[in-house]
Amino acid sequence: MFGFSRWAALATALANTAPGQRHPDLLTTPTELAALLRAHDEPEPVEVDAADLRDALAAREAFNGVFEAASEEALAERLNAMLASSARPRLAAHAGVPLHLHVDAPGSSWGGWLAASGAMGLALLVAEHGVGVLGRCAAGDCRDALLRVGPGPARRFCGATCASRVRVAAHRAAAQGRSGSPAAP
Ligand SMILES: [Zn+2]
């Protein structure tokens, strides 16, 4: 639960708070950042201030750059730039939290923690599964970042909502094509 998969999921969720065609900016207050962290099982105390938010927004931009990288070289370069700010890995035991790994510099803001941990999470996933593990939703009006982990065919959509929206639109277009075709004489 406190492994690198959670870091990668957090990095992806953070990237997807950026404003897009389907939603406005979802990360504009420290409260929203705290909610994002809690939604990914970050144990209390989750106390977030304006500096944390500022650093998280910088990390968000960097993560979106990683997901948009056009080549393996660009992807490595962007993740390496983020990893450069991480620290020597160390196991930590906070009261009430299972033993877990820290790769952020001691005293990092929440944003710094997200950048260092998320970059490590994504780097480990890419090294394990290949660059195809990082994807974008196939819905043209969404394009949210997604992780293609787990068995089965590669994920195309960020979720069921996008998958069904695209399917319904395709059916409609096909039906319209049929009814709009010239009638046989
Ligand atoms: Zn989507």
Side-chain angles (χ1 to χ4, degrees), residues 88-178:
R88 182 182 297 178
R90 62 206 180 279
L91 281 167
H94 308 302
V97 183
L99 208 58
H100 58 282
L101 200 63
H102 271 273
V103 294
D104 55 316
S108 284
S109 67
W110 278 109
W113 176 81
L114 277 165
S117 312
M120 184 65 80
L122 295 182
L124 287 167
L125 275 185
V126 165
E128 181 87 15
H129 302 286
V131 290
V133 77
L134 307 185
R136 287 275 184 191
C137 179
D141 58 350
C142 176
R143 306 295 297 153
D144 264 7
L146 56 83
L147 298 174
R148 296 195 191 97
V149 285
R155 268 181 80 186
R156 293 182 58 221
F157 299 100
C158 67
T161 313
C162 278
S164 65
R165 192 174 67 256
V166 168
R167 198 166 49 235
V168 166
H171 281 217
R172 269 201 201 116
Q176 211 152 41
R178 278 194 299 277

Side-chain angles (χ1 to χ4, degrees), residues 32-140:
E32 286 172 336
L33 177 56
L36 178 80
L37 291 163
R38 290 192 178 106
H40 286 83
D41 303 316
E42 191 56 35
E44 299 296 331
V46 179
E47 286 156 8
V48 176
D49 64 19
D52 295 309
L53 176 64
R54 183 198 61 216
D55 293 351
L57 291 174
R60 177 173 86 175
E61 199 179 334
F63 284 131
N64 272 312
V66 168
F67 276 94
E68 275 150 26
S71 66
E72 293 199 6
E73 290 73 21
L75 177 91
E77 196 176 295
R78 289 171 190 188
L79 270 180
N80 285 341
M82 296 190 79
L83 289 170
S85 64
S86 60
R88 182 182 297 178
R90 62 206 180 279
L91 281 167
H94 308 302
V97 183
L99 208 58
H100 58 282
L101 200 63
H102 271 273
V103 294
D104 55 316
S108 284
S109 67
W110 278 109
W113 176 81
L114 277 165
S117 312
M120 184 65 80
L122 295 182
L124 287 167
L125 275 185
V126 165
E128 181 87 15
H129 302 286
V131 290
V133 77
L134 307 185
R136 287 275 184 191
C137 179

